[in-house]
Amino acid sequence: MPEGSTTGSVSRAGRPNDVRPPLDPVDRAILAELERDARIPNNALAERVGIAPSTCLTRVRALRERGVIRGFHADVDPAATGRPLQAMVSVRLQAAARRRMREFEEFVTSLPEVRDCFFLAGVDDYLLHVATADSAALRDFVVALNGREQIANTQTSLIFDHVRPRRGY
Amino acid sequence: MPEGSTTGSVSRAGRPNDVRPPLDPVDRAILAELERDARIPNNALAERVGIAPSTCLTRVRALRERGVIRGFHADVDPAATGRPLQAMVSVRLQAAARRRMREFEEFVTSLPEVRDCFFLAGVDDYLLHVATADSAALRDFVVALNGREQIANTQTSLIFDHVRPRRGY
DNA sequence: GGTGAAACGATTAGCAA
DNA sequence: TTGCTAATCGTTTCACC
């Protein structure tokens, strides 16, 4: 890979080891399409964004390798798998327990009820997005959380609805 | 939870048009795999869950048609697309504005900063998961929200980290 | 629910801009 | 360096067991 003279004319003389070229409009179109439907065939994706299939494949692979695309996931309806009740549980740790936050994170992410764990800067330390079978299961979950001496208090809000906007890039 | 025929005690074949048979262990294995990697080839998926490829394809299609799988989405790193700063913004509406919640939802889901919008039962009405370029952009977003007369108040917490546990079914 | 052949899409190598 | 074309390879589909 020749680094010497050829790149000099265009390169923004900043980081010689820059492996993160900016996303061009085609990359952004690819991201928008794959976020909408991660299983669109490469042919169809290429046509939608206006490039050849092989080029499209190369770009998608590059986006994965650069970490722009972190993965592809199925969106499974929690209600269909026996967890129709969702809630947000904010958690405040005991001041002394903040030295063992890793331990807490490993604990909560091992619980089957927890869908997401956000580590926050604010009055609360964590926000947990949980899904349970019913209100009794949710109560059991919260009671179990509060039973750990690391935890100062929790506050639970039921989720009536969850909208995930279509994102454009 | 293979307990032989004991499920009959709760879910009876009462509805002749029941198009939602319970998920069997193979279905659950398929869901777990597709949630982990939505782009796994059908062959590999079939082998992992121990059925023939054609059967696997039929099951995946059925799971989609039944709404158990709601879609497949790429997970795009917000930082790589110019939005490295994430926050949770809780929103309380004016009492009078609760009759026009649809309007509010359509507004916030049209904003490019908003990744998720949760409609809550609790002290706050909404929780917004947002991603912005920097703290100035976040401030502008919150100021713009508070500028709408529907909104009573907001509270913003920065997100330091977000862990998405691997879910098993 | 499984099998095999035909149809389709994905991938690679080599070429053109 | 990037994108295109064409041949190979693997995957999906469908009729049938």
Side-chain angles (χ1 to χ4, degrees):
Chain A
M1 183 191 298
E3 281 290 328
S5 52
T6 54
T7 55
S9 58
V10 194
S11 78
R12 333 160 283 296
R15 302 191 285 170
N17 296 336
D18 194 347
V19 292
R20 328 248 343 204
L23 301 173
D24 70 17
V26 173
D27 286 325
R28 293 180 182 275
I30 289 173
L31 293 178
E33 288 299 325
L34 289 179
E35 175 148 332
R36 194 182 54 79
D37 176 12
R39 283 199 145 191
I40 183 176
N42 183 62
N43 272 340
L45 177 59
E47 190 179 358
R48 270 178 174 272
V49 304
I51 57 178
S54 65
T55 309
C56 188
L57 210 59
T58 306
R59 280 184 181 255
V60 171
R61 196 185 298 125
L63 288 168
R64 292 207 69 166
E65 283 166 3
R66 287 160 59 189
V68 178
I69 296 174
R70 294 188 289 205
F72 300 98
H73 305 287
D75 175 22
V76 177
D77 182 6
T81 60
R83 299 183 182 275
L85 187 65
Q86 294 182 55
M88 283 290 179
V89 181
S90 54
V91 174
R92 197 181 314 185
L93 296 183
Q94 301 278 1
R98 298 227 167 78
R99 308 188 63 178
R100 297 181 309 174
M101 297 188 87
R102 230 338 151 222
E103 185 186 324
F104 175 79
E105 287 178 35
E106 281 167 13
F107 167 65
V108 295
T109 55
S110 74
L111 300 174
E113 292 89 350
V114 176
R115 293 173 64 82
D116 292 280
C117 171
F118 296 93
F119 173 25
L120 299 183
V123 288
D124 295 310
D125 294 298
Y126 289 100
L127 186 67
L128 308 178
H129 178 196
V130 305
T132 61
D134 50 34
S135 62
L138 178 59
R139 182 203 57 201
D140 291 347
F141 174 82
V142 173
V143 166
L145 265 194
N146 281 310
R148 292 180 67 93
E149 75 273 2
Q150 299 165 292
I151 291 177
N153 65 60
T154 65
Q155 194 212 309
T156 301
S157 296
L158 294 188
I159 296 173
F160 284 144
D161 197 13
H162 173 198
V163 181
R164 176 194 158 102
R166 309 285 163 262
R167 302 202 263 273
Y169 293 102
Chain B
M1 49 161 179
E3 302 175 67
S5 60
T6 56
T7 54
S9 60
V10 179
S11 88
R12 276 259 62 98
R15 300 194 292 168
N17 295 338
D18 195 346
V19 291
R20 324 239 0 193
L23 301 173
D24 70 16
V26 174
D27 286 327
R28 292 178 183 276
I30 289 173
L31 293 178
E33 287 299 326
L34 289 180
E35 175 147 331
R36 194 182 54 79
D37 175 13
R39 283 200 147 190
I40 182 175
N42 183 64
N43 269 344
L45 178 58
E47 189 179 358
R48 271 179 173 271
V49 305
I51 57 178
S54 64
T55 310
C56 189
L57 210 60
T58 306
R59 282 184 181 253
V60 171
R61 196 184 300 124
L63 288 169
R64 291 206 68 167
E65 282 165 4
R66 286 161 58 190
V68 178
I69 297 175
R70 293 187 288 204
F72 300 98
H73 305 288
D75 175 22
V76 177
D77 181 5
T81 58
R83 299 183 183 273
L85 187 66
Q86 294 181 54
M88 284 290 180
V89 180
S90 55
V91 174
R92 196 182 313 185
L93 296 184
Q94 302 279 1
R98 298 224 167 79
R99 308 189 62 178
R100 296 180 311 174
M101 299 189 85
R102 233 336 154 220
E103 185 185 326
F104 176 78
E105 287 178 35
E106 281 166 14
F107 168 65
V108 295
T109 55
S110 74
L111 300 174
E113 293 90 350
V114 176
R115 293 174 64 82
D116 292 281
C117 172
F118 297 93
F119 173 25
L120 299 183
V123 288
D124 295 310
D125 295 297
Y126 290 99
L127 185 67
L128 309 178
H129 179 195
V130 304
T132 61
D134 50 34
S135 61
L138 178 58
R139 180 204 57 200
D140 291 346
F141 173 82
V142 173
V143 166
L145 266 193
N146 281 309
R148 291 180 68 95
E149 76 273 3
Q150 298 165 294
I151 291 177
N153 65 62
T154 65
Q155 194 213 308
T156 302
S157 296
L158 294 189
I159 296 173
F160 283 145
D161 198 13
H162 173 198
V163 182
R164 178 194 155 102
R166 309 286 164 260
R167 303 201 264 272
Y169 293 102

